[in-house]
Amino acid sequence: MLKPLGDRVIVTVEEPEEQTVGGIVLASNAKEKPQTGKIVAVGAGRVTDDGKQVPLSLKEGETVLFDKYAGSEVKYEDAKYLVLHEKDIMAIVD
């Protein structure tokens, strides 16, 4: 599995539904980019200027809400992941 460095987390993105309530199938370019996902790996934390390590406030398994165009998409072992900095995550979804 991938192990993120520093203040990064790896997220599996939740894909939106393909159909609307009325049963209309949306084309892939008409769909909005997803903004929620589940954390699958967490880095050790960021290092401050004086050398101290600050651990992340996020944990594996949490569902999070992140900025729409944040992060880098990565494909690993036939699965797609999103690598984000902790600052790009806006909230934890309960």
Side-chain angles (χ1 to χ4, degrees):
M1 181 59 192
L2 297 171
K3 176 128 177 84
L5 300 175
D7 69 335
R8 291 178 178 87
V9 296
I10 298 178
V11 175
T12 56
V13 178
E14 296 176 1
E15 294 296 328
E17 291 200 19
E18 302 265 332
Q19 290 185 344
T20 64
V21 176
I24 299 170
V25 178
L26 297 173
S28 62
N29 59 352
K31 290 187 249 178
E32 282 194 32
K33 189 168 175 154
Q35 289 181 270
T36 58
K38 188 171 190 172
I39 297 177
V40 294
V42 178
R46 69 178 176 87
V47 178
T48 62
D49 293 335
D50 60 351
K52 294 180 182 174
Q53 191 165 28
V54 180
L56 299 180
S57 58
L58 302 165
K59 297 186 243 18
E60 289 182 22
E62 291 180 321
T63 301
V64 293
L65 179 69
F66 50 86
D67 288 335
K68 189 175 271 192
Y69 297 103
S72 301
E73 291 184 8
V74 177
K75 191 172 184 181
Y76 179 74
E77 293 183 353
D78 297 328
K80 289 183 182 178
Y81 299 101
L82 190 62
V83 180
L84 299 163
H85 283 277
E86 183 182 32
K87 66 180 180 176
D88 295 327
I89 297 174
M90 299 184 289
I92 297 171
V93 181
D94 288 332

